Amino acid sequence: MSSTVVESAARAQATPTFPGTSRRERSRKLRRSAAIIVLTLWTVFALAPIAWILLMSFKTPGDIVVYPPKFFFAPTLDNYVKVLSGSAFMTPFVNSLIVTLGSLVLTLLIGLPTAYALARFKFRGRENIAFSILSLRFAPELLIILPLYLIFQKIGLYDNYLGLILAYQLVTLPMLVWMLRSFIEDLPVELEEAVAMDGGTRWTAFRHVLFRLIAPGLGASMMLSFIWAWNSYTLPLVLSGKNTQVITTGIQQYIAYQSIDWGPMAAATVVSMVPGILFALFSLRWIVGGLTAGTVKG
């Protein structure tokens, strides 16, 4: 046993030590701790308004306006009952679902072939077309909304689901086309050539190979498109009416001339965030599934 202790001590003395190693370790730990602290503070700062609205949605009118604010109170569901039981909120909520999902379907039908063509085919004016699509996102909505309003009134698309779905393409289409184009350009052309050598068509290569590989980019772009379309305010404010009022403009009904109905407005805000959260979770599963679609098993 004594010989084992002697050998361990000799091995420890033979191991070289560098004077700067411990200093670098301490510096790395300090940077990591500082990064964790900064990110924690930023997360609290970003989530504090959402947490405050969530608390308001469970308060009575007296608890909402009391000063100093109450963090411990008897919660109530009256605000949610008032919001979910009436058509004043549910009608704009359903309209938002129809318009947002419709715009995503149209964006996918137009944007996916457009991104593939811009990434794979070489033709004259390709970059001009790509920049023109991107410029739709650069243009301020206030600059476009007045001509759209006049055109929609003349052709019967004002206060119409189809009109809002077409108008939302200004928000969703450019981003999806450019994101998917970059994803497709990063994939080697040899993948499609290998499918062609086996007798497959371009559609076969896209459906069985490329689509699975661009699934992460497609999921991310669809998630952002849903959030931007769902939160759009300027376009539905001008182009929608009583029949197609969406959630972003419908929440304003809780603001009266002399008072604000804080409780139902907070509950309506919380409910309006649920579809975005659910769609983001679904998109994240799609993104992870796309990342692991090309792995080799066995």
Side-chain angles (χ1 to χ4, degrees):
M1 181 175 180
S2 58
S3 61
T4 304
V5 173
V6 173
E7 291 178 359
S8 301
R11 192 181 301 109
Q13 292 179 356
T15 303
T17 58
F18 301 96
T21 302
S22 59
R23 186 179 303 173
R24 286 196 296 269
E25 288 292 335
R26 288 196 298 268
S27 177
R28 188 180 299 110
K29 291 181 179 179
L30 288 176
R31 289 197 300 268
R32 185 181 305 169
S33 301
I36 293 174
I37 293 173
V38 171
L39 292 176
T40 302
L41 293 176
W42 175 254
T43 302
V44 172
F45 174 77
L47 296 181
I50 300 177
W52 185 254
I53 292 174
L54 182 63
L55 289 176
M56 285 178 55
S57 67
F58 291 103
K59 290 183 178 181
T60 61
D63 291 335
I64 292 176
V65 298
V66 70
Y67 184 83
K70 285 185 177 180
F71 293 95
F72 300 98
F73 53 89
T76 178
L77 296 176
D78 293 342
N79 297 322
Y80 288 95
V81 173
K82 182 178 179 180
V83 166
L84 298 177
S85 61
S87 60
F89 172 78
M90 293 307 298
T91 299
F93 184 82
V94 173
N95 290 339
S96 291
L97 287 177
I98 294 173
V99 174
T100 302
L101 295 178
S103 64
L104 289 184
V105 171
L106 183 59
T107 299
L108 187 61
L109 293 177
I110 299 175
L112 192 55
T114 302
Y116 182 82
L118 293 175
R120 284 292 186 254
F121 300 138
K122 297 184 182 299
F123 52 90
R124 186 175 181 181
R126 181 181 64 169
E127 295 301 326
N128 294 333
I129 295 175
F131 183 78
S132 298
I133 295 174
L134 185 61
S135 64
L136 297 176
R137 193 70 185 93
F138 291 158
E141 292 182 356
L142 294 176
L143 183 65
I144 303 175
I145 197 66
L146 181 58
L148 276 180
Y149 174 75
L150 297 176
I151 294 172
F152 280 15
Q153 275 197 330
K154 289 184 178 181
I155 62 178
L157 289 179
Y158 174 74
D159 196 13
N160 186 283
Y161 289 125
L162 179 59
L164 284 178
I165 290 173
L166 292 175
Y168 275 26
Q169 301 309 305
L170 299 173
V171 179
T172 59
L173 185 62
M175 189 271 300
L176 184 135
V177 169
W178 274 80
M179 284 191 66
L180 290 185
R181 182 192 180 187
S182 62
F183 267 85
I184 296 174
E185 286 179 341
D186 290 338
L187 298 177
V189 185
E190 289 76 12
L191 293 174
E192 299 173 67
E193 294 177 351
V195 176
M197 292 180 62
D198 292 335
T201 61
R202 188 180 292 272
W203 166 247
T204 304
F206 178 81
R207 184 178 54 173
H208 293 288
V209 180
L210 293 185
F211 186 79
R212 295 187 178 185
L213 296 177
I214 65 173
L218 184 59
S221 58
M222 292 294 286
M223 178 177 62
L224 293 176
S225 297
F226 182 91
I227 294 173
W228 288 351
W230 183 265
N231 295 329
S232 180
Y233 177 76
T234 306
L235 292 175
L237 179 65
V238 179
L239 300 178
S240 65
K242 293 182 179 180
N243 298 324
T244 57
Q245 187 182 43
V246 296
I247 192 66
T248 51
T249 57
I251 292 180
Q252 293 180 345
Q253 65 183 315
Y254 299 107
I255 302 176
Y257 178 71
Q258 294 181 338
S259 63
I260 300 178
D261 209 349
W262 291 108
M265 186 169 66
T269 303
V270 173
V271 174
S272 65
M273 291 189 294
V274 172
I277 296 174
L278 295 178
F279 194 87
L281 294 176
F282 173 77
S283 300
L284 288 176
R285 291 184 61 184
W286 197 9
I287 292 172
V288 173
L291 290 174
T292 59
T295 55
V296 179
K297 298 180 181 180

